[in-house]
């Protein structure tokens, strides 16, 4: 399989989520990604759900990558890594600042080997500043960005997401940063360093809260499932004890919803023409919409909203996703062969390109599955590989 990134070689030496997921996104569209793992393996292999001792998260985040074990803390591992850098386009790492430099593998050293190299450094707090040396994960970004403070019920505590939200956003941002640097290289002929702090992309995701504080002194309150920008916007329980989500970001949709639920009089209220004013009257709007929905089953509610061209969606569990006809039409879930687990299903690539589509080439491979194959390309024969294994440099 090929893709628009065919010919781009990526060395993924990052662990867990943000950096490795960025490499996964590049692999999905054709980049050759060599996953360089400590002989113990990337910790994500043991993270989360497992089947027969095999990590399922790894199967997704390791897809399309070749797994090579290499201990970069050993001089022999560092020398092999330098050989690999010579013909690489991208290195993705997430060690604490200074670690690569301590190993003689900092940006300056790698650029001497390969001036066209893009080095993407993904850390919690970035390469500079008073927090740079602190350990950190996406959870800290969710806390420090303002996300947790504005999430949750008004009378409840700040709320963290139950999944790696900040890491996922950082991964998307890292992939974009890498592609930007590669595009620049087409003009300048030189690579560059990407310094991505996981605490930063969340700031942009959350919208204008920084500017609103600067200009108005506003700090967003916790509003639960409501919005401070429009209403009705909430989750509502149906007669068959399911939940549906309703959004009325557009004025025309808000008007359709209240007419549908039998309250056309609300459209004539002076406050209804403004999203913020509707939000200030959320109690009245939620009562009108919520009581109408509560008297009907989910199927009827969704059908009525669709007929009225109003925005609604059922609240799905993971099991519901597999049965949804829209996800099936988009092929959002794909079934793939796996050497260890037979066939497994996972999320498909993020988007569809009409001329140069991507594809998942294989699922996350066993640890070190490609060590001999890849290192042979860099002059490591069978005897030397045996020596390196005995020394614990590879597995």
């Amino acid at each position: 399989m090929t893709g628009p990134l065919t010919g781009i070689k990526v060395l993924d030496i990052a662990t867990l989520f943000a950096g490795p997921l960025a490499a996964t996104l590049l692999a999905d569209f054709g980049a050759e990604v060599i996953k360089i793992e400590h002989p113990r393996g990337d910790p994500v292999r043991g993270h989360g759900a497992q089947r027969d001792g095999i990590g399922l998260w790894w199967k997704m985040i390791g897809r399309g990558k070749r797994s090579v074990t290499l201990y970069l803390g050993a001089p022999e591992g560092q020398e092999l890594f330098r050989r690999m850098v010579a013909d690489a386009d991208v290195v993705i790492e997430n060690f604490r600042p200074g670690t690569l430099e301590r190993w003689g593998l900092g940006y300056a050293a790698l650029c001497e080997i390969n001036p066209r190299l893009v080095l993407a450094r993904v850390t919690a707090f970035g390469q500079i500043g008073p927090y740079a040396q602190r350990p950190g994960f996406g959870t800290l970004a969710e806390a420090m960005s303002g996300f947790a403070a504005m999430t949750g019920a008004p009378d409840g505590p700040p709320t963290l997401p139950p999944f790696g939200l900040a890491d996922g956003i950082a991964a998307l941002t890292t992939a974009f940063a890498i592609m930007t640097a590669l595009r620049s290289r087409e003009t300048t002929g030189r690579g560059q360093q990407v310094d991505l702090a996981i605490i930063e992309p969340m700031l942009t995701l959350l919208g204008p809260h920084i500017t609103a504080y600067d200009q108005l002194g506003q700090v967003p309150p916790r509003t639960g499932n409501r919005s401070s920008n429009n209403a009705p916007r909430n989750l509502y329980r149906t007669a068959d004890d399911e939940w549906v989500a309703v959004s009325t970001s557009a004025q025309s949709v808000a008007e359709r919803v209240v007419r549908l639920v039998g309250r056309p009089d609300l459209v004539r209220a002076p406050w209804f023409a403004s999203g913020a004013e509707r939000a200030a009257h959320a109690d009245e709007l939620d009562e009108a919409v919520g009581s109408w929905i509560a008297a009907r089953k989910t199927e009827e509610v969704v059908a009525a909203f669709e007929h009225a061209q109003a925005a609604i969606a059922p609240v799905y569990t993971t099991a519901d996703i597999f049965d949804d006809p829209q996800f099936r039409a988009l092929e959002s879930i794909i079934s793939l062969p796996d050497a260890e687990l037979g066939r497994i299903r996972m999320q498909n690539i993020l988007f569809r390109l009409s001329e140069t589509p991507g594809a998942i080439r294989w699922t996350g491979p066993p640890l070190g599955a490609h060590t001999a194959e890849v290192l042979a390309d860099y002059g490591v024969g069978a005897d030397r590989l045996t020596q390196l294994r005995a020394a614990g440099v590879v597995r």
Side-chain angles (χ1 to χ4, degrees):
M1 296 181 183
T2 61
L5 300 184
T6 297
I8 299 296
K9 180 178 285 189
V10 179
L11 304 181
D12 173 11
I13 60 173
T15 57
L16 290 174
F17 308 117
L21 181 55
T24 303
L25 302 178
L26 300 178
D28 285 347
F29 287 91
E32 177 190 355
V33 178
I34 299 174
K35 174 67 178 181
I36 297 177
E37 302 181 69
H38 189 285
R40 292 192 301 266
D42 187 323
V44 77
R45 288 181 178 272
H47 204 90
Q50 300 195 1
R51 177 186 161 198
D52 300 332
I54 298 169
L56 302 181
W57 206 327
W58 164 254
K59 290 298 178 184
M60 189 272 283
I61 207 169
R63 70 195 196 189
K65 303 178 184 180
R66 294 197 286 172
S67 172
V68 173
T69 57
L70 190 64
Y71 177 41
L72 296 178
E76 301 93 331
Q78 294 160 12
E79 176 55 32
L80 284 171
F81 183 68
R82 292 187 186 96
R83 294 188 208 174
M84 300 174 77
V85 164
D87 68 349
D89 296 284
V90 179
V91 170
I92 302 176
E93 67 99 0
N94 70 336
F95 296 103
R96 284 202 214 176
T99 300
L100 286 187
E101 285 74 10
R102 191 167 65 250
W103 290 340
L105 302 174
Y107 181 62
L110 298 183
C111 277
E112 287 186 7
I113 301 169
N114 181 356
R116 292 175 56 82
L117 183 73
V118 172
L119 175 62
R121 316 192 79 167
V122 185
T123 57
F125 301 106
Q127 299 294 307
I128 61 173
Y131 301 167
Q133 292 298 324
R134 291 184 182 180
F137 301 97
T139 297
L140 307 191
E142 291 147 9
M144 292 178 63
S145 64
F147 173 85
M150 66 177 74
T151 304
D155 57 351
T159 302
L160 293 168
F163 62 97
L165 177 61
D167 280 300
I169 295 165
L172 290 163
T173 309
T174 300
F176 172 65
I178 289 169
M179 296 310 301
T180 303
L182 290 175
R183 176 65 181 89
S184 175
R185 190 180 71 173
E186 293 178 8
T187 302
T188 66
R190 294 189 59 82
Q192 59 185 293
Q193 185 171 216
V194 173
D195 177 8
L196 189 136
I198 296 175
I199 59 172
E200 287 189 293
M202 288 286 290
L203 296 178
T204 297
L205 176 79
L206 296 177
H209 71 304
I210 297 295
T211 305
Y213 180 77
D214 171 66
Q215 296 294 304
L216 303 171
Q218 291 180 351
V219 175
R222 287 191 286 281
T223 59
N225 293 318
R226 288 177 171 176
S227 168
S228 58
N229 301 311
N230 64 81
R233 191 267 197 180
N234 214 327
L235 298 180
Y236 303 96
R237 193 191 296 267
T238 63
D240 48 350
D241 204 29
E242 300 289 342
W243 291 89
V244 293
V246 172
S247 177
T248 58
S249 296
Q251 178 68 23
S252 60
V253 175
E255 293 177 8
R256 292 171 199 157
V257 169
V258 295
R259 287 193 174 102
L260 171 64
V261 301
R263 292 295 307 275
D265 58 297
L266 293 174
V267 177
R268 297 188 292 271
W271 47 264
F272 195 85
S274 162
E277 286 297 314
R278 293 201 311 273
H281 291 78
D283 286 344
E284 184 176 357
L285 289 166
D286 276 347
E287 170 59 28
V289 176
S291 60
W292 186 91
I293 289 175
R296 292 161 175 82
K297 292 185 177 182
T298 304
E299 185 175 357
E300 179 186 353
V301 170
V302 172
F305 267 69
E306 289 183 353
H307 182 73
Q309 298 186 51
I312 193 169
V315 175
Y316 281 169
T317 66
T318 303
D320 297 322
I321 294 169
F322 282 83
D323 295 328
D324 182 82
Q326 183 61 31
F327 283 129
R328 285 201 300 269
L330 294 171
E331 297 184 339
S332 303
I333 308 298
I334 189 170
S335 177
L336 298 162
D338 182 80
E340 297 174 295
L341 298 175
R343 294 200 71 85
I344 62 175
R345 288 184 285 182
M346 65 178 62
Q347 302 94 318
N348 206 343
I349 59 176
L350 285 177
F351 49 85
R352 288 155 294 282
L353 296 177
S354 62
E355 300 300 322
T356 56
I360 300 172
R361 288 171 282 184
W362 56 79
T363 60
L367 178 62
H370 304 96
T371 298
E373 169 189 315
V374 171
L375 293 187
D377 293 338
Y378 298 95
V380 178
D383 291 343
R384 180 57 177 157
L385 188 62
T386 299
Q387 294 171 352
L388 292 170
R389 283 179 172 147
V393 178
V394 303
R395 176 173 172 173

